[in-house]
Amino acid sequence: MSNRWEGIDEFVAVAESGQFTAAAERLGVSSSHISRQIARLEERLQTRLLYRSTRRVTLSEAGQTFLQHCQRLQDGREEALRAMGDLASEPKGLLRMTCAVAYGERFIVPLVTRFMGQYPQLRVEVELSNRTLDLLHEGMDLAIRLGRLQDSRLVATRLAPRRMYLCASPAYLERYGRPHSLSELARHNCLVGSSDLWALQQDGREISQRVQGNWRCNSGQAVLDAALQGMGLCQLPDYYVLEHLHSGALVSLLEAHQPPNTAVWALYPQQRHLSPKVRRLVDYMKAELAGLPEYRGT
């Protein structure tokens, strides 16, 4: 049985260069070798791929379609070879990543710094931003995202749980009472963070409820401080409030309406998921986050 790859590299070289001689120089073979391989390829396919003239080679309609498939085959083959070489290599070169500001400062950047201490050939650029950056457009290798995923073009790995808590201080509840239903939220002062839509659960499905109050700040830490001072109700992720729930400084409310667990995710473009620098950093962060007090028992 003939090698099914025979002639493909030669065909792509001719199609891309438009000449047999240029293709021969590119591949380091003779023009006659190129001509023979393509003739055999056309014979196997029973299809004319190229039209030859004295000056230039043009593609037939079938050749144009075949070229697109062959180029993808070549890209996949090269990616597979690089991946196998990467498996045994250590993280090195530049890794560009992004994360939300507060979560990145508190959790991700310290982990990345410790990870870099193990690999002296690795360079890392971290962009902390609360904007959802387009990894492909921005040339990023990795993003740490919180909540639910939107971009299906990316590969996702779950790093840690993320549970949202609705809570208030005992002083606030003593003064204004404890809400027992979602409808009662409207008469409470709600401390609004980056959004006035709170994720909640009702009848087994997630809903978004608009809340209002006399205080707003796009900082989770600031929302937490206001709640601890008895200013109102807040909704924050576990890593902000668990310590205060355990100490009694905050009280968890409407637990039956807590939204389904979301997560902390590592996202990366498809072609980066076998890169040692990305793969090992993601594995490292997942293991280290699991051992932090904020995540034990979540």
Side-chain angles (χ1 to χ4, degrees), residues 14 21 39 92 105 137-138 141 180 212 237-238 240 244 282:
V14 171
T21 53
K92 58 186 176 182
E105 288 177 339
H137 180 72
E138 300 282 346
D141 297 293
H180 296 285
Q212 58 185 1
D238 41 26
Y240 279 109
H244 304 290
V282 168

Side-chain angles (χ1 to χ4, degrees), residues 220-271:
Q221 186 60 50
V223 172
L224 173 63
D225 291 342
L228 290 170
Q229 293 179 46
M231 291 182 61
L233 308 184
C234 71
Q235 187 185 56
L236 287 168
D238 41 26
Y239 47 85
Y240 279 109
V241 300
L242 282 179
E243 171 189 351
H244 304 290
L245 291 173
H246 292 153
S247 72
L250 291 176
V251 177
S252 181
L253 305 169
L254 299 176
E255 293 183 335
H257 296 286
Q258 277 186 336
N261 287 4
T262 57
V264 180
W265 301 94
L267 284 87
Y268 30 96
Q270 177 71 39
Q271 69 271 22

